[in-house]
Amino acid sequence: MAYAAFRSIGAYAPKKILTNDDLAKMVDTSDEWITKRTGIKERHIAAENETTSDMGVAAAKLAIERSGINVTEIDMLICATISPDYFCMPSTATIIANKLGLPGVTAFDISAACTGFVYILSIAKAFIESGMKKNILIVGAERLSAITDYSDRGTCILFGDGAGAALISATDNKEEAIIDVHTGADGTYADLLMTPNGGTGSPHDALEGEANACFMQMKGNETFKVAVRTLTKDVVDILADNDIAAEHVQHFIPHQANYRIIKAVGDALNMKDEQVVLTVGKYGNTSGASIPMAMNDVYESGKLQAGDLMLLDAFGGGLTWGSALVPFSPLK
Ligand code: ACO
């Protein structure tokens, strides 16, 4: 049987930075309020002509370069995004594949909001274990600034832009393999996080006059409570299912939405500060890109070593959730 190994990570954050003080000039808020309630100090914002796929390509190039796998060996590309280059079609994955010079590879997007990266990791694992594919590029890329209402202080303080990518490849060495990925969803909470935006559930005609229909709308406080509950259960379950103690995890990499959410989950698991990866302060919430961007920070700091066990934990609109136990298994 083939196993799926996590070979490499890459990420990209656009140059422009939007600070809390910048936001305080746009809406009734302050650096003090945002820092205290979220832990966010700044977020990166894409340039005017920079698309989600451009950022995905930049992250993917790094992941490929670091993987030890030739670009021509990639046989599938999956992109997780809720801010695609084009709504409906073509998928952002096909655009990224084209820009990378990968004609003919299977390419598609998935929509699972902030859990997107864990979802595409589970899909890549399944395709490799089934023997259908050998080298899969997974990309989480978001230009959330394009769907953020900068007159709504409840949401605009949270979100940023960026991308992360990873190369997952087949191995027959079980020691290198991704141990487990859990995913789930519950549509009864669909209204907590929503972008009406003229889909068939809310056609354009019905939304006429609602200027904010194309932006993310969120019931922040309710989302917060469900997030803490769900993220904690996610990791407790996956650790128990695999008989692994939290202390054996080198890097706990949760979705970066809010420092207080991450702290609550880390404390519930008795995680030490040095186990918990925190990048929300500098990137804000980048949805499907947040976990791979955080992982890339650990990699670039030199702290991600071959064989280290990463525990991923995500939660997002849908509602969706997911967790994963992933040893870092570089080829070089
Ligand atoms: N600046 C100042 N005051 C504010 C701001 C702001 N930016 N935003 C809200 N407030 C005010 C509110 O109006 C309210 O005032 P009131 O008491 O006079 O009515 C007060 O602050 C408290 O508001 P809450 O919404 O209860 O604030 P809370 O402590 O919950 O923080 C926040 C809000 C940061 C949005 C938090 O709820 C949160 O992080 N929620 C979770 C977000 C999340 O995890 N999303 C998940 C995934 S996102 C995805 O999938 C795309």
Side-chain angles (χ1 to χ4, degrees):
M1 177 190 164
Y3 299 104
F6 194 103
R7 296 298 189 201
S8 66
I9 183 73
Y12 170 82
K15 281 196 186 68
K16 185 179 163 192
I17 287 175
L18 185 67
T19 66
N20 291 347
D21 287 335
D22 294 332
L23 283 163
K25 292 179 195 137
M26 298 156 71
V27 287
D28 183 12
T29 191
S30 65
D31 174 44
E32 191 194 353
W33 193 96
I34 301 170
T35 306
K36 196 166 152 214
R37 299 290 180 113
T38 70
I40 302 169
K41 296 298 285 183
E42 57 189 35
R43 58 297 283 146
H44 291 245
I45 301 294
E48 209 174 313
N49 58 355
E50 199 169 31
T51 60
T52 300
S53 65
D54 290 335
M55 293 186 279
V57 166
K61 281 184 174 167
L62 267 182
I64 294 167
E65 191 184 302
R66 292 167 176 170
S67 70
I69 289 162
N70 194 299
V71 67
T72 56
E73 296 174 87
I74 295 171
D75 48 12
M76 184 156 148
L77 193 161
I78 321 171
C79 179
T81 186
I82 53 165
S83 48
D85 284 17
Y86 303 99
F87 283 99
C88 305
M89 61 185 170
S91 73
T92 303
T94 58
I95 299 169
I96 294 173
N98 185 44
K99 288 179 179 172
L100 288 172
L102 294 171
V105 305
T106 305
F108 58 94
D109 290 356
I110 68 107
S111 168
C114 305
T115 318
F117 189 76
V118 178
Y119 266 62
I120 54 180
L121 183 69
S122 75
I123 298 167
K125 178 175 181 286
F127 265 91
I128 287 172
E129 287 176 353
S130 72
M132 286 176 73
K133 301 289 177 188
K134 286 198 161 39
N135 297 295
I136 303 182
L137 183 62
I138 58 173
V139 184
E142 301 284 9
R143 185 178 163 160
L144 296 180
S145 59
I147 55 168
T148 296
D149 180 355
Y150 284 99
S151 67
D152 173 15
R153 68 177 180 173
T155 54
C156 73
I157 57 155
L158 300 172
F159 299 107
D161 299 336
L167 213 306
I168 316 297
S169 76
T171 178
D172 44 22
N173 179 359
K174 198 174 177 192
E175 299 290 302
E176 294 186 328
I178 296 169
I179 297 168
D180 199 5
V181 189
H182 284 189
T183 51
D186 183 353
T188 58
Y189 291 106
D191 67 330
L192 289 188
L193 281 147
M194 172 168 274
T195 310
N197 202 29
T200 56
S202 53
H204 284 300
D205 288 355
L207 294 172
E208 214 172 309
E210 284 187 43
N212 63 355
C214 61
F215 298 130
M216 287 179 283
Q217 298 171 9
M218 180 176 74
K219 294 178 181 162
N221 199 271
E222 286 166 66
T223 306
F224 187 99
K225 290 173 198 151
V226 187
V228 173
R229 211 169 49 233
T230 310
L231 284 165
T232 307
K233 184 176 176 340
D234 261 4
V235 279
V236 167
D237 286 355
I238 199 165
L239 288 169
D241 281 2
N242 292 282
D243 205 14
I244 291 174
E247 71 209 56
H248 291 129
V249 170
Q250 273 76 38
H251 312 285
F252 174 47
I253 311 181
H255 169 49
Q256 305 286 315
N258 184 317
Y259 168 72
R260 289 188 295 139
I261 296 177
I262 296 170
K263 174 96 178 86
V265 179
D267 286 353
L269 290 161
N270 290 320
M271 288 273 183
K272 297 194 182 101
D273 285 352
E274 57 267 30
Q275 287 175 285
V276 182
V277 177
L278 264 180
T279 54
V280 67
K282 62 187 211 182
Y283 299 135
N285 180 347
T286 57
S287 194
S290 109
I291 286 180
M293 287 176 80
M295 195 186 287
N296 184 67
D297 264 44
V298 187
Y299 177 81
E300 291 190 351
S301 74
K303 288 186 195 144
L304 184 58
Q305 300 294 318
D308 278 3
L309 181 59
M310 300 182 277
L311 172 61
L312 317 186
D313 192 15
F315 164 89
L319 291 181
T320 56
W321 58 83
S323 54
L325 279 165
V326 184
F328 183 51
S329 306
L331 283 172
K332 57 178 190 182

